[in-house]
Amino acid sequence: MRAKILYVTDLTYPANGRRYGDEDVYLTGRLREHFDLALCHPLDAASLMDAFDAVVVRNSGPAIHYQSAYGEFRAAAIDRGTRVFTQLTGKADMIGKQYLVDLSEAGYPVIPTTDCAPDSLPEATTYVVKPKLGSDSIGLRKVSRDELTTLSLDGMLAQPLIDFRYEVSFYFVDHDLQYALYAPDPAKRWELERYEPTDADRAFAQRFVDWNAIDHGIQRVDACRTATGELLLVELEDLNPFLSLELTDDTIRTRFVQRMTRSLTALLAL
């Protein structure tokens, strides 16, 4: 008997520069070869999930738009021991952006980040202030150093605006890197091209995936290449990262689905 999967997505979410629906139609079409599968909106996940063997959370939109419903789903899934892919043990974006502060203070290669002490940040012309529970640049503000010193950072974090050459994303299933894409133009975040990571790039991304407490799921490590050539973490998206699969080739897409299927099968066996 095939396992029953509840696939959580918002096919109509108007994501800037991304087509959520197309990606999830492709993925669900391939996953149906291995599982009995039904789609639902994120607002319906908590009420439907008990009828399924596992829940796959994919392109469900920024949780800030349905924070109460996401909290209800998350609490119920943890309480009932529901198998969720990506697993809810993650320490990164799925529980907010406090991890950027923690990793910065621990000396990881992260854009310098604080939630209480602007004086700890390096000198910069402009700073970025954004909510810890934000995503998709929702609530982001750019301020001067003087403005930053007068702001309350309650529920917020602050970072210097980094002068970077490009952004690059590394896409993982479990702890295994599948492919990488980058945006050559910093002003066009979602105009991505294929990127061949170096050994140093791979080690950089792997460090954050290994830090995160997830054995089964999808993660995207977003980084920026600074003017001096180093990589700094922008975010570790472990809730519902868009995969930009349409920009890869058939070989990569097939390998990704195969790896995702093996991970889901292992999760179902727990």
Side-chain angles (χ1 to χ4, degrees), residues 143-205:
V143 300
S144 67
R145 182 85 181 191
D146 288 343
E147 290 175 301
L148 181 61
T149 59
T150 65
L151 290 177
S152 168
L153 292 179
D154 184 30
M156 309 288 287
L157 55 81
Q159 301 172 320
L161 185 62
I162 296 292
D163 178 21
F164 61 89
R165 290 158 46 191
Y166 57 80
E167 287 189 73
V168 57
S169 295
F170 305 90
Y171 303 80
F172 286 78
V173 176
D174 301 349
H175 290 260
D176 300 331
L177 179 64
Q178 302 300 303
Y179 58 94
L181 300 169
Y182 84 120
D185 185 345
K188 299 177 180 178
R189 171 66 180 95
W190 296 107
E191 293 189 12
L192 298 167
E193 299 178 9
R194 292 281 300 276
Y195 180 86
E196 186 58 43
T198 66
D199 289 344
D201 294 339
R202 291 172 178 272
F204 169 90

Side-chain angles (χ1 to χ4, degrees), residues 8-144:
V8 181
T9 179
D10 183 353
L11 296 175
T12 63
Y13 179 75
N16 183 30
R18 291 151 288 167
R19 293 180 61 86
Y20 279 8
D22 289 355
E23 182 164 284
D24 283 341
V25 166
Y26 170 78
L27 279 174
T28 53
R30 296 294 302 274
L31 291 172
R32 281 195 183 96
E33 299 170 11
H34 307 280
F35 309 103
D36 291 337
L37 190 146
L39 280 68
C40 84
H41 189 277
L43 294 177
D44 302 321
S47 63
L48 295 175
M49 64 183 182
D50 286 349
F52 294 83
D53 299 306
V55 178
V56 173
V57 178
R58 282 305 307 127
N59 293 317
S60 49
I64 193 172
H65 292 318
Y66 54 95
Q67 198 66 54
S68 177
Y70 172 67
E72 177 187 349
F73 161 75
R74 180 180 173 85
I78 292 172
D79 181 63
R80 299 171 194 173
T82 303
R83 297 178 181 89
V84 179
F85 184 97
T86 297
Q87 288 175 304
L88 298 177
T89 50
K91 300 183 289 185
D93 268 21
M94 68 168 61
I95 57 172
K97 297 190 183 296
Q98 175 64 37
Y99 72 97
L100 292 173
V101 178
D102 298 338
L103 289 174
S104 182
E105 291 177 349
Y108 280 74
V110 178
I111 294 176
T113 309
T114 187
D115 62 354
C116 63
D119 288 344
S120 67
L121 297 179
E123 289 288 341
T125 303
T126 306
Y127 295 83
V128 172
V129 176
K130 54 188 176 182
K132 290 183 180 180
L133 293 178
S135 59
D136 259 12
S137 298
I138 297 169
L140 182 148
R141 296 172 55 194
K142 295 179 181 179
V143 300
S144 67

Side-chain angles (χ1 to χ4, degrees), residues 228-249:
T228 57
E230 66 178 326
L231 282 179
L232 294 178
L233 182 74
V234 175
E235 71 173 5
L236 175 52
E237 174 58 83
D238 59 356
L239 174 57
N240 51 8
F242 187 69
L243 303 172
S244 300
L245 280 170
E246 79 281 3
L247 300 179
T248 65
D249 57 34

